[in-house]
Amino acid sequence: MGELLVLAVMRSSSRVVRSTERLLSLKIGEVRAVARHQSSQQEQVSKISPLKTSLALWHAAAGLRWRLVIALLATLAYVACALMTPALSAHIIDAIWTEIQASFAAGKNFVLTLENGGTDLLLYLGLWTFAWIFYSIQVAVMASFSERLNLNLRTRISKKIAHLPLSYLDDKKPGDLISRATNDLDKVSEVLQRGLLQLVLAACMLIGSVMMMAQYNLLLTAVFALFIILSVLATHVIATHTLKVSDQRQRATGVLTGNVEEAYTGRAVLLAFGGEEKSTAALAADADELARTSLIADFLINSSAPAVRFLIRIALVIIAILAGQLLVAGEITIGIFQAFFHYVGMASEPLTQLSQTVNLMQAAIAAAARVFELLDEEEMEPDPASPRVLPAQAPGRVVFSHVRFGYDPARPLMHDVSFVVEAGQKVAIVGATGAGKTTLINLLMRFYEIDGGAIELDGVSTREMRRADLRRRFGMVLQDAWLLEGTIAENIAYGHTGASREEIMAAARAAHVDYFLRTLPQGYETLVSNDAETISQGQRQLITIARAMLLDPAILILDEATSSVDTQTEQEIVAAMEALMYGRTSFVIAHRLSTVVDADMILVMEAGSIIEQGTHAELLKRGGAYAKLYQSQFA
C-alpha cells in the first residue's frame, strides 16, 4: 500500500515539475517581448557563463580566501553540532522513557538527576551553545569577506576607468558605468554576504542530515532522496531562466540610470525646448521596463521555495505513513521515530533555502558578469617600458608627420596630415563644425592613438613618452568649462599641487576673475561643482583660464576659450592671454577669426584634412577657403 502511494505521488510530482517549466517558459516569453520592445535602447544581452563568472570572482578574492576557509570551518563545526543534537535527543528520550517506565513499575515518582539523564540534557544544551557560537563566527567572517571583495572590485573599476580609451567612454552612457560600479556590485555583495553562506550551510546540513537518516532506516531515506532529486530538477528549471532575466534586469537598471543622468545633466535644454513631457515619457518607459523585468525576476527567485516546500510536504506525508507502520511493527523506537523526523526537518528547510539561494546566486552572477565585462574591456596602449623624458625647459616644437586617424578604422577621418609648429609660435586652427579641429588636439594629447604617421614634441615621438609626462607639458582651456566639486581655490589650483594662495590669486587677477571672487560671501573658499549653477558659464570659463595660467605650461591649447564671455571681458582676457602666450607654443581653436588674425600660422581644416595653411595675410591673398570664411564673417 505504501509503495503504491509513493509511485502515485511521484507521478503527480513529475507533472508539477513539467507544469512549472511550462509556466516559467510563458513568463520568460513575456520578458523577452519586453526586452524587444526597447531593444534600440538596451545593450545586446551577452551570453553569461556562470562558471567563468564564478572563477573570475574567485580570482578577484585573492588575499581574502582565508576568510572563506574560516567561514567554511565554522560552518562545518556548526553543522556537526546541529547534526549531533537529534541523535543525542533520541538517546535522551529513549533513556528517560525507560527510567520513567521503571519508576512507574516500582510505584515511585520519576525525578530527573544527573545520573538518569540530566548530564545528557546539559550536553544537549552545550551543543546548541557551541552551534550558536560557530554560526555567529561564520556570519561575521562572510560579512567581512563580501564587503572587502566589494571594495576590491570598486577599486579595480576605478583604476580600470582611468585606463580605458576615450573611444570606450564616448560610446557608453555615464549612468551605465555608475550602475555597474554601484547597483551591480551592491547586488554581488548582498548575495555573497547572505546567499553564499546559506548555500554552503544548506548543502552541508542537507548532506549531513541525509547521512544521519541513512543510519536509522534506508527505506525512509530513499523516499526522501527521491523528492530531493525532484526538488533539484525544479530548482534547475527555475535557475536557468532566473539567470537570463536577472541579466536583463541589471541591464535595464543601467539603461534607466544612464537616462536619468542624461536628463538631469541636460535639464536646462529640456526646459528650454519644452521636452519635459517627452523626457518624462521616455524615463517612464525605462522605469516600466525595469519594473516588469524585476517583477518576473522576483517571481522566479521567490517561486522556487514554495515549489520545493510543496514537494517536501508530500514527502513528509509518505514518510509519516511508512514510519508509522514501522513503529507499530516494532522495527523502530519512539526515539528513532522523532530523531528521523527531526533530521527530515533539518534537511527540509536547507533544501528550500538551497533552491532559493541558487536563484539568488544567479542574480549575483548576472550582476558580476556586467562588472567583469567592464573589467575585461581592452585598455589603452600601455606606456613604453623605457619612456623618453624631455628636459624641464623644452622649447615646445611640434611636428605632425603624415598622420592618419579614424574613430572607426574602416572609415579614416585624417589621411595625411603634416605640419610643423616652431617653438613659441601661435597656431590657429579654423574650419567648419566637424572639420576635425578638436580631433587634432586630441591626437596631440594622446587622448586617441594615431593609426599611422608620427607626432613629435621637441624631436621625441609622443608614443615614446608617458602620457602623464606628455600632458604635463600642456595647459588647456576648453569651450566647456569643467569644475570639480570643491572650493574655487581648489579648482584654480587643480593640476598645480602645492600652489600658494598668493599664486592662486595672481592667476585669478591675470584672468580678470579676482574681483568677482572677492564679492562672493566665502570668496575663494566658495564651494562649487560641475553641475551647480550658482555661477554663470562665463565666470566658470574665467576660473578655468586662471587654472591654465597658474599651471604655466610649455604649450597652451585654447578651444574657443572666450566663447562664453561678453565682448569687454573677452578683450581683457585676450590681452591677458597674449601675455601668457608670449614665448610659448599655442594652439587656438577659433570660430571667430578676429581673435586669430595675429597667429603665426593658421591651419584651415575640412573633413579631417588641412586644406590651407599660412598667415592671415597669406591666406587672404590666396582667396581660398579661409578668405571666403573671413569675408563671410565681416561682410
Side-chain angles (χ1 to χ4, degrees):
M1 178 68 180
E3 288 78 3
L4 292 175
L5 177 61
V6 171
L7 291 175
V9 174
M10 289 290 290
R11 284 194 289 269
S12 174
S13 301
S14 299
R15 288 194 294 271
V16 169
V17 172
R18 289 194 297 270
S19 299
T20 301
E21 184 171 8
R22 286 195 296 271
L23 174 62
L24 296 179
S25 298
L26 291 175
K27 290 291 184 182
I28 294 302
E30 181 181 346
V31 172
R32 287 172 179 162
V34 172
R36 285 194 298 269
H37 177 68
Q38 290 191 335
S39 59
S40 61
Q41 299 180 19
Q42 295 190 29
E43 303 174 51
Q44 182 179 0
V45 176
S46 59
K47 185 178 180 180
I48 297 175
S49 169
L51 177 60
K52 181 180 178 181
T53 304
S54 299
L55 288 175
L57 279 172
W58 175 254
H59 290 307
L64 300 173
R65 296 170 192 160
W66 64 271
R67 298 174 187 271
L68 285 178
V69 174
I70 292 178
L72 179 60
L73 292 176
T75 300
L76 293 175
Y78 166 78
V79 171
C81 291
L83 291 176
M84 290 171 64
T85 54
L88 182 59
S89 69
H91 167 73
I92 293 173
I93 290 174
D94 285 341
I96 292 179
W97 179 244
T98 301
E99 291 289 336
I100 291 174
Q101 288 179 320
S103 296
F104 285 174
K108 299 178 182 178
N109 293 326
F110 173 74
V111 179
L112 181 65
T113 64
L114 291 177
E115 290 75 18
N116 65 0
T119 302
D120 292 335
L121 285 175
L122 290 176
L123 179 59
Y124 186 81
L125 177 62
L127 283 175
W128 279 118
T129 301
F130 280 108
W132 168 74
I133 293 173
F134 290 126
Y135 185 82
S136 300
I137 291 173
Q138 65 180 352
V139 169
V141 172
M142 281 306 300
S144 172
F145 168 79
S146 61
E147 290 303 325
R148 289 177 183 272
L149 177 59
N150 198 344
L151 176 61
N152 289 350
L153 289 174
R154 276 207 174 96
T155 302
R156 286 180 58 186
I157 288 177
S158 177
K159 294 179 179 179
K160 182 71 177 187
I161 292 177
H163 290 85
L164 286 173
L166 278 183
S167 56
Y168 175 85
L169 300 176
D170 288 343
D171 292 338
K172 302 295 181 181
K173 289 186 176 181
D176 183 64
L177 296 179
I178 294 171
S179 180
R180 292 174 192 251
T182 54
N183 298 329
D184 291 336
L185 278 180
D186 286 343
K187 175 65 72 175
V188 173
S189 177
E190 175 189 354
V191 174
L192 285 181
Q193 187 169 332
R194 298 188 301 107
L196 186 59
L197 178 62
Q198 287 183 353
L199 185 67
V200 175
L201 183 61
C204 292
M205 190 66 75
L206 177 62
I207 294 172
S209 297
V210 172
M211 291 175 63
M212 293 299 294
M213 279 189 274
Q215 301 295 318
Y216 292 112
N217 192 282
L218 290 177
L219 174 62
L220 299 180
T221 305
V223 173
F224 189 76
L226 287 175
F227 280 89
I228 290 178
I229 294 173
L230 282 176
S231 300
V232 170
L233 290 175
T235 301
H236 174 71
V237 170
I238 297 172
T240 301
H241 298 310
T242 301
L243 179 62
K244 300 175 183 177
V245 180
S246 296
D247 180 56
Q248 292 178 1
R249 174 166 65 177
Q250 294 305 120
R251 293 182 184 277
T253 302
V255 169
L256 178 60
T257 305
N259 289 340
V260 168
E261 187 273 340
E262 183 179 73
Y264 176 77
T265 303
R267 59 192 182 279
V269 177
L270 289 176
L271 294 172
F273 286 88
E276 301 97 322
E277 292 185 5
K278 183 178 180 181
S279 176
T280 301
L283 290 177
D286 293 334
D288 183 62
E289 164 72 6
L290 176 58
R292 296 182 68 178
T293 53
S294 296
L295 175 64
I296 305 302
D298 290 339
F299 166 79
L300 292 173
I301 290 173
N302 294 315
S303 65
S304 59
V308 171
R309 283 196 179 96
F310 174 73
L311 294 173
I312 293 301
R313 296 298 181 268
I314 296 176
L316 286 173
V317 172
I318 296 174
I319 292 173
I321 294 173
L322 295 177
Q325 293 176 351
L326 295 175
L327 181 63
V328 171
E331 297 184 24
I332 60 174
T333 66
I334 294 177
I336 293 177
F337 183 89
Q338 73 82 29
F340 193 91
F341 271 90
H342 196 158
Y343 282 120
V344 170
M346 293 179 67
S348 300
E349 191 56 32
L351 185 60
T352 303
Q353 291 178 352
L354 199 61
S355 65
Q356 191 168 20
T357 302
V358 166
N359 286 281
L360 284 173
M361 294 298 291
Q362 303 306 305
I365 288 174
R370 281 172 42 84
V371 172
F372 289 114
E373 182 182 284
L374 171 61
L375 293 175
D376 291 339
E377 287 291 340
E378 185 177 354
E379 297 184 357
M380 293 184 295
E381 179 183 316
D383 286 327
S386 300
R388 299 278 298 275
V389 179
L390 292 175
Q393 301 299 324
R397 185 175 187 266
V398 177
V399 177
F400 273 61
S401 179
H402 306 289
V403 171
R404 299 192 310 277
F405 171 75
Y407 293 101
D408 181 358
R411 300 170 58 188
L413 174 64
M414 296 182 177
H415 297 275
D416 187 8
V417 174
S418 298
F419 61 88
V420 177
V421 180
E422 298 297 340
Q425 282 190 332
K426 176 182 177 181
V427 179
I429 308 173
V430 301
T433 301
K437 303 183 295 297
T438 301
T439 299
L440 196 70
I441 298 302
N442 288 338
L443 298 179
L444 178 60
M445 298 283 288
R446 281 193 71 187
F447 292 149
Y448 294 90
E449 299 296 338
I450 59 177
D451 297 327
I455 301 175
E456 295 182 357
L457 177 60
D458 292 316
V460 177
S461 172
T462 56
R463 281 181 176 269
E464 298 178 5
M465 301 175 63
R466 293 176 64 249
R467 289 182 178 85
D469 293 338
L470 170 67
R471 291 166 186 168
R472 272 196 290 267
R473 302 279 170 176
F474 295 88
M476 296 186 70
V477 179
L478 303 177
Q479 183 174 1
D480 297 325
W482 178 82
L483 299 179
L484 60 91
E485 186 170 351
T487 67
I488 291 177
E490 290 171 343
N491 271 276
I492 295 176
Y494 187 77
H496 191 296
T497 305
S500 66
R501 178 52 63 94
E502 290 73 19
E503 291 173 325
I504 293 173
M505 295 175 66
R509 284 193 294 270
H512 301 275
V513 72
D514 176 70
Y515 175 77
F516 162 70
L517 296 181
R518 289 179 181 275
T519 63
L520 297 174
Q522 284 79 37
Y524 283 81
E525 296 304 313
T526 300
L527 292 174
V528 294
S529 68
N530 194 48
D531 292 330
E533 297 181 356
T534 54
I535 58 177
S536 70
Q537 183 66 23
Q539 291 160 347
R540 295 157 70 94
Q541 190 77 303
L542 292 172
I543 292 173
T544 61
I545 292 172
R547 177 192 298 164
M549 289 181 167
L550 179 61
L551 190 60
D552 193 25
I555 303 174
L556 281 173
I557 296 175
L558 310 175
D559 186 354
E560 284 291 331
T562 60
S563 61
S564 299
V565 296
D566 57 78
T567 304
Q568 180 180 354
T569 305
E570 177 184 4
Q571 293 173 353
E572 296 174 348
I573 292 177
V574 168
M577 284 295 185
E578 290 297 333
L580 179 63
M581 289 187 291
Y582 180 77
R584 304 175 194 271
T585 305
S586 304
F587 290 86
V588 181
I589 299 177
H591 288 288
R592 287 184 283 186
L593 302 185
S594 60
T595 61
V596 298
V597 294
D598 61 339
D600 299 300
M601 181 169 62
I602 299 175
L603 303 177
V604 184
M605 299 196 68
E606 183 179 291
S609 299
I610 297 176
I611 57 175
E612 289 183 340
Q613 57 179 297
T615 64
H616 172 71
E618 292 171 348
L619 295 177
L620 284 181
K621 186 176 181 180
R622 292 177 194 172
Y626 177 81
K628 294 178 181 178
L629 185 61
Y630 183 81
Q631 291 167 2
S632 67
Q633 291 190 12
F634 296 96

